[in-house]
Amino acid sequence: MLPVYPNLQAFKNAKISQQHLRKIFTEVLAALDFPKITHEVLPPELLTKYSLPERTPAFVQMHHPDSPESNERARLRLIYEELFFLQLRFAVERNRVEALGQQGIKFDVSSLGTPGIANVSADTRTPILDTRLSLIHQVVSKLPYTLTKAQRRVLGEIAADMSKSDRRTPMHRLVQGDVGSGKTIVALLAMLCAVENGYQTAFMAPTEVLAKQHFNTISDLLKDLPIKVSLLIGGQSKKLRSEILRELAGGHTNIIIGTHALLEENVQVEKLGMIVADEQHKFGVAQRKILMEKYKDAPPDVLIMTATPIPRTLALTLYQDLDVSTIDELPAGRKQITTRIVMPSGQRELFKHIREVIRRGEQVYIVYPQLEKSEKKDVKTATNAYEVFKEKIFPDLKVGLIHGKLKSEEKQAVMLAFHGKKLDILVATSVIEVGIDVANATLMIIGNAERFGLAQLHQLRGRVGRGGKASECILVPSEKLEPKADETVASDDIADRTAAMERLRVIERTTNGFEIAKADLALRGPGDFLGTQQSGVLKLKLADIVRDETIVQQAANDTEELMKKDPQLRMKEHQATRQELLRLYQQRESFLEVG
């Protein structure tokens, strides 16, 4: 059996072949004091439990196996080790939070009970100001639709968390669901339950534009009800901001909506019962610790929402400290968005199609990707396209432009103009990935589409289809992806083209966010799938959290048991595990100190 090493470009440039690499590693293994360098780091009880080889033999068998079986055992051992220390980090962080010993709030959730919600529909309207009914039932009765089974199921899971008799820690739940699955109304009903119990609630959005949209949506749903909703964002006058903060601190505001700035020290809420974070991937243990320290007497429940569906194994790995609920059903009557790929040579017909859509009284998004290294170039690309569309292709139509360099109030003005049908076409960068819902926008065109991630393409596509009209998303690849007659192309370029087109075909053939998330995860790996925020957590060398789902679960269970037995890893047999954990995550000894 011969090892095969990664065929890295640096090795090619140095003319180092597989034979050279094998010789190098043979000499390295022989020359180093290998047992000393590769001392055992896993708890001995786990080596025995799974009959795993020790670390030194595992390394040797990875490079020079005695048999296929010994190589596989060594590989499994090192995979388990990676996943064990990843889960151990989460277990320690959870243990630190739980050791604060703070009691969560026990809510009366009778008005949030799933049967009660299920029995109220648009067909059996209840008078809005009937004080005999809960706020929740009055809001549900105003909805122009009936809650889906998935929404009612998730509400039941939230209700169970909020009413636990053992409220040793607050609720920490992630609600994931596809674009348009109705996460916001679920979060609002949970917040209203906290309000009915005499508590205030906070709703955090990732951008000010989205915070304003949530404020408008929630205010509209709660009009005529005795609920005070306030918006706290940048750009407000000093007088208005002071008034909002004063009412919040005095307990007069029921729901405060804003950005991540709601966690800042100067924002004080008299009686915070729940905080909802929309698309806040970084709202993890550290942020919850801020809340627990800020509201020591009664830390609030936390509900995190994401429209980027995460496969179960990835959710378990990233959010093991959260309970996960999934809304896997779209509301009845929601029309499917048709998606197709149009090559650059077909743009003339595409422009005709845009005119047909606008002639029907509908609106169009045209989106360009954001360049990672130079936002200036990105803006210039969008600006140039805007000028071409406005002056040459659609001079008779109303064309607008939005990009990341605009000031917040300028972005807001453009989006409001588009929302108010004062623009036919909105040329944009990916800044509209989360933004104001425009029900009349039925066509999304994405240029240079292969430069977006699959999850981002799916999110952008979700900007159309927000109303009851049939909607469409058209993906236009770069010109370099369109084969030309008699063109000579290098084999590497052909492979790159094929891979890029296959990614676009994933979006073309399905609107199921979970299928897209799995494909994206398989193509890009977990670090890139979630973006740079999580890449430091998931730099795995051998483990694959999708393929190794069983081991992920085993490692999660084992680290939980270890924390119960030896929460600070003080026992003699766990000293090596302790030191390896601190080394891997560059932590001080205090990381393991609790209480």
Side-chain angles (χ1 to χ4, degrees), residues 59-100:
F59 276 120
V60 172
Q61 290 299 314
M62 284 291 288
H63 291 275
H64 296 291
D66 297 327
S67 66
E69 292 75 23
S70 62
N71 178 258
E72 179 63 13
R73 290 301 302 165
R75 189 182 69 85
L76 287 173
R77 181 249 140 78
L78 295 174
I79 286 172
Y80 176 83
E81 180 181 316
E82 281 193 308
L83 294 173
F84 172 83
F85 280 101
L86 181 64
Q87 297 291 2
L88 184 58
R89 176 182 178 176
F90 284 122
V92 169
E93 288 176 330
R94 274 196 315 280
N95 202 45
R96 284 164 58 87
V97 171
E98 291 179 2
L100 292 173

Side-chain angles (χ1 to χ4, degrees), residues 123-187:
D123 299 324
T124 56
R125 300 292 176 111
T126 307
I128 301 305
L129 296 177
D130 187 342
T131 55
R132 294 171 298 174
L133 293 173
S134 71
L135 294 171
I136 291 170
H137 283 73
Q138 291 185 66
V139 169
V140 171
S141 71
K142 293 170 66 176
L143 298 176
Y145 53 82
T146 302
L147 296 176
T148 64
K149 289 181 181 177
Q151 286 173 309
R152 296 199 301 270
R153 184 189 70 245
V154 171
L155 279 168
E157 292 166 356
I158 293 170
D161 280 353
M162 294 177 71
S163 61
K164 279 182 182 174
S165 56
D166 175 18
R167 294 288 286 168
R168 188 163 60 95
T169 56
M171 173 179 73
H172 297 145
R173 184 168 289 276
L174 174 75
V175 175
Q176 61 175 3
D178 226 333
V179 176
S181 60
K183 299 179 297 297
T184 303
I185 188 63
V186 166

Side-chain angles (χ1 to χ4, degrees), residues 253-311:
T253 298
N254 302 112
I255 299 174
I256 182 70
I257 299 173
T259 62
H260 211 273
L262 289 175
L263 290 178
E264 291 175 0
E265 191 174 339
N266 68 324
V267 180
Q268 294 295 328
V269 186
E270 185 189 48
K271 200 174 180 184
L272 185 62
M274 178 178 292
I275 189 161
V276 174
D278 186 22
E279 295 295 348
Q280 292 284 354
H281 295 301
K282 289 191 74 174
F283 196 83
V285 172
Q287 285 71 32
R288 291 199 294 282
K289 191 179 178 189
I290 291 173
L291 285 176
M292 296 180 90
E293 289 174 348
K294 194 171 181 178
Y295 302 99
K296 292 179 180 179
D297 295 336
D301 281 1
V302 174
L303 196 62
I304 301 174
M305 304 192 300
T306 179
T308 303
I310 300 171

Side-chain angles (χ1 to χ4, degrees), residues 487-507:
E487 181 185 23
T488 301
V489 184
S491 58
D492 286 351
D493 289 338
I494 292 174
D496 289 343
R497 282 184 180 180
T498 303
M501 290 304 296
E502 178 52 39
R503 289 172 60 249
L504 296 185
R505 290 188 187 102
V506 171
I507 296 292

Side-chain angles (χ1 to χ4, degrees), residues 86 314 317-318 526-527 530 534-540 545:
L86 181 64
L314 187 54
T317 305
L318 285 178
L530 288 162
Q534 298 286 357
S535 59
V537 176
L538 287 167
K539 287 180 179 175
L540 303 174
I545 58 175

Side-chain angles (χ1 to χ4, degrees), residues 88 141 172 205 222 227 297 409 424-425 444 453 476 497 513 537 553 581:
L88 184 58
S141 71
H172 297 145
L222 300 181
I227 301 290
D297 295 336
E409 55 269 24
D424 300 307
I425 298 171
M444 164 77 68
V476 183
R497 282 184 180 180
V537 176
Q553 185 64 65
L581 176 69

Side-chain angles (χ1 to χ4, degrees), residues 382-409:
T383 303
N384 286 350
Y386 162 72
E387 290 169 355
V388 170
F389 286 130
K390 183 178 177 63
E391 296 173 11
K392 296 182 179 179
I393 301 174
F394 304 114
D396 54 323
L397 299 177
K398 292 169 286 185
V399 184
L401 171 68
I402 187 170
H403 54 69
K405 282 289 185 182
L406 293 178
K407 293 179 180 177
S408 178
E409 55 269 24

